[in-house]
Amino acid sequence: MKNVLVTGGAGFIGSNFVHYLLQEKQDIECLVNLDLLTYAGNLDNLLRVKDDKRYVFVHGDIRDKELVNQLFDKYKFDTVVHFAAESHVDRSIMEPDIFLTTNIVGSQTLLEAAKRHWNLEPDNKYSRSYLPGVRYLQVSTDEVYGALGKTGMFTETTPISPNSPYSASKASADLIVHAYYQTYGMPVSITRCSNNYGPYQFPEKLIPLILHNAMNNKPLPIYGDGMQIRDWLHVNDHCSAILRVLEKGEPGEVYNIGGNNERANIEIVKLILSVIGKSESLITYVKDRPGHDRRYAIDNTKITTQLGWAPSYTFQQGISETIEWYLQNSAWVERVVSGDYMEYYSRTYKNSAVD
Ligand code: NAD
Ligand code: DAU
């Protein structure tokens, strides 16, 4: 792995991954971060690496074929780690269109450029020969599997059954990645991760939103009965799993990544309130998210047994560090929630008890 294209590296997980990879892999020659800087992308997340000579930021769109091909020509990537996406379920419910173009067409644009630059005979449709050592990794989500009842876990063979426009767009992209493997023999990997938490997460997502509202003594919107369950994973553990798949994963395979850490939403909210010393009276139950998935749970057996990866954070350690980070970085939070975010917040929670 010498020349790496990271897409969406100014977002939550992408920026943590850029830090992680530059730290872990000193022999990387060049890491290009291609990011459109949507509301979710923030160059403040990358201040620590901006002077690293190996790091290059490109402001652009993954759907821009010409740009993506120029970047492949110029930087001779051997690795693509594709994070860029519209990632928020609530936004996808209100405005699905952009989820389809960014998450589906954007992924296919990257795949096609990678195929054209990596295939040894790009004009021969039967050619399945590629430059040695190249890999395209699609960062996907456990949401493609749909929802679980009280029991069971998602394995890599669980049928895809997405329920939101967001998860349907991610599932569609996964199918296209699979098609590039089956049809063209492209060396691809797909990772499907559970809910991440940690530094630099945009405060539209549950944990930073609750922290931000609680610190400002604002109502905490809990959808439905608050008993929906997610499997939480520290973002650094997600980054280490991605690197493991890049280095050891078999081409064409899907790897689930989870934290073995199922929690009901209301439990997380009460935990945050107790750590920061705020009253539970801020909790406000609001109308449920349409089509809300009840429970996610990841079976990690494949990545742990085949690739030897395991999460390293306990939830107690990870959540304490995360809360501390948001408290220490309130200026970052205030910067990212100014402007467009306030307009989004009032639209999303309109007619609920917290608007
Ligand atoms: P995010 O919303 O924080 O960041 C997305 C980034 O992509 C932003 O920097 C944004 O500017 C960029 N982007 C959006 N559209 C673009 C485009 N057309 N061209 C270039 N850049 C564009 O997302 P995140 O939470 O960091 O998620 C990253 C990836 O991980 C996504 O693919 C998401 O589906 C997946 N994922 C997220 C989680 C989670 O818990 N957050 C869990 C599993 C999988
Ligand atoms: O499972 C992986 C997915 O996790 C990723 O693919 C998505 O990109 C990421 O956004 C996340 O999706 P969720 O919908 O699970 O995350 P979110 O933080 O939006 O919500 C977590 C849970 O909290 C969910 O059950 C909805 C609930 N919730 C969320 C918000 C924003 C509330 O009750 N109130 C809220 O205001």
Side-chain angles (χ1 to χ4, degrees), residues 330-342:
S330 54
W332 177 89
V333 178
E334 292 313 323
R335 270 198 304 281
V336 302
V337 300
S338 60
D340 288 354
Y341 177 71
M342 296 316 292

Side-chain angles (χ1 to χ4, degrees), residues 87 141-143 166 195 206 221 223 230 265 289 292 349:
S87 69
T141 169
D142 59 359
E143 297 202 11
Y166 161 71
N195 285 59
L206 182 72
Y223 296 156
R230 299 290 183 265
N265 295 337
R289 175 188 272 174
H292 198 171
Y349 298 100

Side-chain angles (χ1 to χ4, degrees), residues 51 63-64 74 80 94 105 125 130 162 190 195 235 237 264 318:
D51 296 326
R63 293 164 294 185
D64 182 341
K74 180 166 178 188
V80 176
M94 291 191 294
V105 177
K125 72 178 179 188
Y130 289 83
I190 297 175
N195 285 59
V235 65
D237 280 331

Side-chain angles (χ1 to χ4, degrees), residues 4-218:
V4 182
L5 173 63
V6 172
T7 68
F12 162 47
I13 307 173
S15 60
N16 278 283
F17 185 74
V18 168
H19 288 129
Y20 179 84
L21 198 65
L22 288 173
Q23 173 75 37
E24 289 297 308
K25 302 294 287 180
Q26 293 295 328
D27 52 346
I28 279 180
E29 287 172 9
C30 178
L31 187 163
V32 174
N33 169 16
L34 171 62
D35 197 298
L36 189 56
L37 298 181
T38 68
Y39 77 93
N42 190 341
L43 290 180
D44 276 6
N45 303 3
L46 295 155
L47 291 177
R48 273 198 286 132
V49 296
K50 79 175 183 10
D51 296 326
D52 188 317
K53 295 208 166 19
R54 300 168 296 164
Y55 173 71
V56 178
F57 174 69
V58 177
H59 185 200
D61 193 326
I62 53 167
R63 293 164 294 185
D64 182 341
K65 283 186 195 168
E66 203 181 323
L67 171 67
V68 170
N69 279 294
Q70 278 169 2
L71 293 177
F72 270 87
D73 283 338
K74 180 166 178 188
Y75 293 103
K76 314 273 178 257
F77 302 123
D78 51 41
T79 306
V80 176
V81 189
H82 177 33
F83 293 97
E86 288 293 334
S87 69
H88 191 36
V89 174
D90 292 319
R91 286 183 190 256
S92 82
I93 292 167
M94 291 191 294
E95 282 169 22
D97 310 34
I98 193 167
F99 283 74
L100 273 60
T101 62
T102 295
N103 297 357
I104 306 173
V105 177
S107 297
Q108 191 268 336
T109 305
L110 291 165
L111 281 161
E112 188 56 28
K115 176 165 78 70
R116 186 169 310 165
H117 286 81
W118 292 347
N119 193 292
L120 297 177
E121 293 175 88
D123 296 325
N124 174 2
K125 72 178 179 188
Y126 298 103
S127 168
R128 301 174 74 84
S129 305
Y130 289 83
L131 293 169
V134 295
R135 183 64 59 98
Y136 173 99
L137 188 144
Q138 179 81 7
V139 179
S140 185
T141 169
D142 59 359
E143 297 202 11
V144 301
Y145 297 120
L148 293 164
K150 284 196 169 64
T151 57
M153 295 180 114
F154 299 134
T155 70
E156 289 80 357
T157 55
T158 300
I160 286 183
S161 180
N163 291 316
S164 71
Y166 161 71
S167 53
S169 69
K170 293 293 291 185
S172 307
D174 285 10
L175 295 178
I176 293 167
V177 176
H178 177 72
Y180 270 69
Y181 173 71
Q182 284 293 124
T183 306
Y184 308 116
M186 273 249 315
V188 299
S189 301
I190 297 175
T191 55
R192 295 189 179 138
C193 188
S194 61
N195 285 59
N196 285 215
Y197 68 97
Y200 302 115
Q201 186 167 32
F202 195 85
E204 64 187 352
K205 308 280 168 63
L206 182 72
I207 289 178
L209 184 147
I210 293 300
L211 259 167
H212 180 245
N213 282 16
M215 291 311 295
N216 291 291
N217 298 312
K218 283 174 61 180

Side-chain angles (χ1 to χ4, degrees), residues 252-316:
E253 291 294 314
V254 174
Y255 295 94
N256 283 352
I257 306 169
N260 303 324
N261 182 43
E262 288 183 54
R263 309 264 165 174
N265 295 337
I266 192 67
E267 182 193 343
I268 304 249
V269 172
K270 288 184 176 172
L271 175 70
I272 292 173
L273 289 173
S274 79
V275 173
I276 64 174
K278 293 282 181 176
S279 163
E280 289 188 8
S281 64
L282 290 171
I283 292 174
T284 308
Y285 288 92
V286 301
K287 205 165 169 192
D288 208 350
R289 175 188 272 174
H292 198 171
D293 289 336
R294 191 71 181 165
R295 173 171 166 260
Y296 303 143
I298 283 272
D299 181 335
N300 262 339
T301 307
K302 183 171 174 182
I303 190 167
T304 54
T305 57
Q306 294 185 10
L307 306 188
W309 173 87
S312 66
Y313 280 77
T314 62
F315 189 63
Q316 284 70 16

